[in-house]
Amino acid sequence: MTDPSPAAMTGPAAGERPAPESPSSGPLAGLRVLDLATLFAGPLAATLLGDYGAEVIKVEHPQRPDPSRGHGPAKDGIGLWWKLLGRNKKTVTLDLSHPDGRDVLLRLAAGADVVIENFRPGTLERWGLGWGELSAANPRLVLARITGFGQFGPYARRPGFGTLAEAMSGFAAITGEPDGPPTLPPFGLADAIAAMATSYAVMAALHGRAATGRGQVIDLALIEPMLTVLGPQPLWYDQLGHIQPRTGNRSANVAPRNTYRTADGSWVAVSASAESVAERVMRLVGRPEVIDEPWFATGAGRARHADELDTAVAGWIARHDRAEVMAAFEKAEAAVAPIYDIREVMADPQYQALGSITEVPDDELGTLRMQNVLFRLSETPGAIRWAGRPHGADTDEVLAALGLTGPEIDGLRAAGAL
């Protein structure tokens, strides 16, 4: 077979970038990201970067593609979750455990800014693709490593998934009804939070590189972003020995705060974190006298009287249809929201005004509707340029841009490296 080692490859020198297939005007245009990760935090972090212009190259095993392609419902045998998670990514196949695949990955890394991976600690090192080899190929590279428990410590080599982070962070312990079991979310909460934390970490590392000229390693454990979003619980325990109990839909800190059923069988959520909002709610539901109670002046005081406040709010809402509830709360400037299923989300005029759901053309399934980019920028907005592509669809193009010839690519494929 033709030698595919970096020394034998022709074309752009290591670190030189060919023009991307679809030039982007997003704020991250010119940034190149290698997505080596699977399920779900790492790939979603790469998606978020791609949404704002980064050129993302998704690297998948030739025989074992990202499992997200097979998660959830499919249409015509094509996984729909992948269409979202794989958007704005070029897809290539590469066996990183194969020596030739390793060499190609190092060549790709030499021209990249960021590598995102979520293998168990030690896996990349076993393949000869650890930080020593990657940074030698490209000293400016940022390597984001996402694992369940981090790169060191007694649990580092355990398999880790978002469910375990939701359990170990304290989230599940405070979620659910007081007399019920701990409750896990029915979606990838920990992975999504970790993905956003990773994209932030990548931006921080790249900003640091601008000052030092050197890349660095990001060590992100799924359990830590979840712990962060749970707020002051460690501080409460440290200073007071307080352990937050399960309170169902109520808050341990403020009231009224709950879900309430309307006369037409719909549901709404009410939140009165601010005292002024709580006052408006209680006036609206016909209980203005409680506003003068000394305990009403603090969130903690109202939480101690949640039974009384909930009874008043629930009773009033139960006598009105959802449309009447929404209109009355809006007129009173009190905080309420309808509890939507996804059908209502996609039909809601506020989401439509924001463009939160957008249409994306797709060669396999036609026009798709999915979530838009995460936030709006006035000068350099993000964009969805394409939905998730078939497994390995861009392999030949990406490797040709590295300088590999057709016979070299064919040789790598025959050897099992692609």
Side-chain angles (χ1 to χ4, degrees):
M1 146 185 154
T2 305
D3 178 12
S5 66
M9 297 176 186
T10 59
E16 183 179 337
R17 306 169 193 223
E21 176 188 275
S22 299
S24 170
S25 58
L28 302 183
L31 194 72
R32 178 175 286 177
V33 178
L34 303 183
D35 173 9
L36 314 184
T38 61
L39 289 179
F40 283 98
L44 181 55
T47 301
L48 296 175
L49 299 173
D51 283 351
Y52 291 91
E55 181 190 11
V56 180
I57 298 174
K58 172 71 175 181
V59 178
E60 299 175 86
H61 191 278
Q63 282 77 48
R64 298 187 298 278
D66 190 319
S68 67
R69 291 181 181 272
H71 270 54
K75 181 180 179 182
D76 299 335
I78 299 169
L80 297 176
W81 201 335
W82 168 252
K83 289 296 180 183
L84 174 69
L85 195 62
R87 72 190 193 189
N88 292 334
K89 298 180 182 181
K90 296 178 179 179
T91 62
V92 306
T93 58
L94 201 59
D95 184 349
L96 303 183
S97 67
H98 192 289
D100 294 340
R102 168 195 179 274
D103 292 342
V104 173
L105 192 282
L106 287 174
R107 180 65 180 262
L108 283 169
D113 297 283
V114 181
V115 171
I116 299 176
E117 65 99 359
N118 68 340
F119 301 106
R120 287 198 210 182
T123 301
L124 283 186
E125 286 75 8
R126 189 171 70 249
W127 294 338
L129 289 169
W131 177 238
E133 291 85 356
L134 290 171
S135 61
N138 181 356
R140 291 174 56 81
L141 187 69
V142 170
L143 173 62
R145 314 194 77 168
I146 306 170
T147 57
F149 307 104
Q151 295 293 314
F152 56 91
Y155 304 158
R157 292 187 179 273
R158 290 183 181 178
F161 295 98
T163 296
L164 308 188
E166 290 147 9
M168 286 186 62
S169 64
F171 171 84
I174 63 171
T175 305
E177 294 299 324
D179 57 351
T183 302
L184 296 167
F187 63 99
L189 177 64
D191 282 286
I193 292 173
M196 288 185 268
T198 300
S199 60
Y200 163 62
V202 166
M203 292 293 97
L206 291 173
H207 186 74
R209 185 183 74 175
T212 67
R214 299 188 305 276
Q216 59 185 298
V217 177
I218 297 165
D219 176 8
L220 189 139
L222 288 176
I223 56 176
E224 292 181 305
M226 280 298 298
L227 183 61
T228 296
V229 301
L230 291 182
Q233 290 190 55
L235 183 60
W236 287 342
Y237 179 74
D238 174 62
Q239 295 296 302
L240 303 171
H242 175 71
I243 300 174
Q244 183 171 326
R246 287 191 289 282
T247 57
N249 288 323
R250 286 182 174 178
S251 169
N253 308 309
V254 296
R257 190 265 196 180
N258 213 326
T259 61
Y260 306 92
R261 192 166 190 172
T262 63
D264 56 353
S266 298
W267 291 85
V268 297
V270 172
S271 177
S273 297
E275 181 184 355
S276 60
V277 175
E279 290 176 1
R280 294 172 199 151
V281 171
M282 300 318 296
R283 289 193 183 99
L284 173 62
V285 302
R287 291 293 307 278
E289 72 279 3
V290 300
I291 296 171
D292 297 325
E293 296 288 346
W295 51 262
F296 195 87
T298 66
R302 296 194 300 278
R304 288 193 295 271
H305 291 77
D307 285 345
E308 179 180 356
L309 299 178
D310 259 354
T311 298
V313 175
W316 186 90
I317 288 176
R319 297 192 297 272
H320 298 81
D321 290 348
R322 188 173 79 175
E324 296 170 334
V325 172
M326 296 300 298
F329 268 73
E330 185 172 350
K331 183 178 180 180
E333 297 184 353
V336 68
I339 294 179
Y340 281 164
D341 61 25
I342 193 60
R343 294 169 297 182
E344 294 170 300
V345 168
M346 295 180 74
D348 182 84
Q350 182 61 34
Y351 282 118
Q352 290 177 353
L354 295 174
S356 305
I357 304 294
T358 190
E359 293 187 347
V360 180
D362 182 69
D363 291 339
E364 293 182 292
L365 297 176
T367 299
L368 309 173
R369 288 193 293 167
M370 64 176 67
Q371 300 95 317
N372 208 338
V373 298
L374 192 58
F375 49 85
R376 288 162 292 281
L377 295 175
S378 61
E379 298 298 325
T380 54
I384 303 172
R385 301 183 296 282
W386 60 80
R389 291 178 171 172
H391 182 223
D394 303 289
T395 301
D396 286 14
E397 176 201 327
V398 170
L399 297 191
L402 281 179
L404 275 73
T405 65
E408 287 174 326
I409 295 170
D410 292 341
L412 287 168
R413 190 166 279 121
L418 300 185

